[in-house]
Amino acid sequence: IGGIAAVTGQEITTDFPTLPTKWEAETIEPGAPASGKGIEAYSFVDVPSYDTPSALWSNYTGCQRLIYVPNNYDQKRYLLGCDVVDCCYEEQDGNQIEFQIPNVRYADPSKTVDVYYQKANVTNWSEIVEADEWSWSFSINDNPLLSQDMRAYTQPCDKGSKGCPTGVKLIQWQSRAAVSDWFAIEFKNFKGFDDDSDESDKFLTQFQIPDICQKNNLLKCD
């Protein structure tokens, strides 16, 4: 790891990896439908449109969820089979989470976020594994009550090989707001997609609102 300086047992680095913007994986997400364990397909677009939405399919046992963001005013979460109706919707506030290292950008392009690095052991899918830990944080007016901390845990893979377009795979993502408890999403069998591949084009075709969710009288979920 290059470009580093020691800080409180960790190291500030400018040599952090880039996560794929398109991937699929088995995940565990506390608080998600159907106990939070399922298979997810993710495509992040910074400036989305109906032709290129920012979206996430979550397929749980007997239940599916689609986060669909085509712009900055018509974004929704569609739940299929998760409620008493075949499809209902929840409000989605802004774009979906960007799984990236780091995922904070300031309006002033000269201002950057410090990213810290260390080797760490983390419990993932009931196993303790060694991973690269990348962490960063931001706050509004240096107020700890208006702060958020993030950690991404990655493992290296053969860059350019199938499922590894950027040389790393994500195994866990942790976040916390205002020094609260850490919230972790666990990943397994992580597969990234190269933006310029036929496989990626085929992968993107799934991010469409199902017909059953396009009714004019679609109900809001309870």
Side-chain angles (χ1 to χ4, degrees), residues 103-121:
N103 63 352
V104 177
R105 300 182 185 88
Y106 292 103
D108 180 356
S110 66
K111 188 176 182 180
T112 58
V113 178
D114 286 337
V115 176
Y116 295 84
Y117 168 80
Q118 67 178 354
K119 281 285 187 183
N121 292 326

Side-chain angles (χ1 to χ4, degrees), residues 71-87:
N71 47 46
N72 61 1
Y73 58 86
D74 197 25
Q75 58 269 38
K76 287 184 173 64
R77 295 178 173 225
Y78 297 95
L79 275 65
L80 295 88
C82 307
D83 212 318
V84 294
V85 294
D86 292 333
C87 181

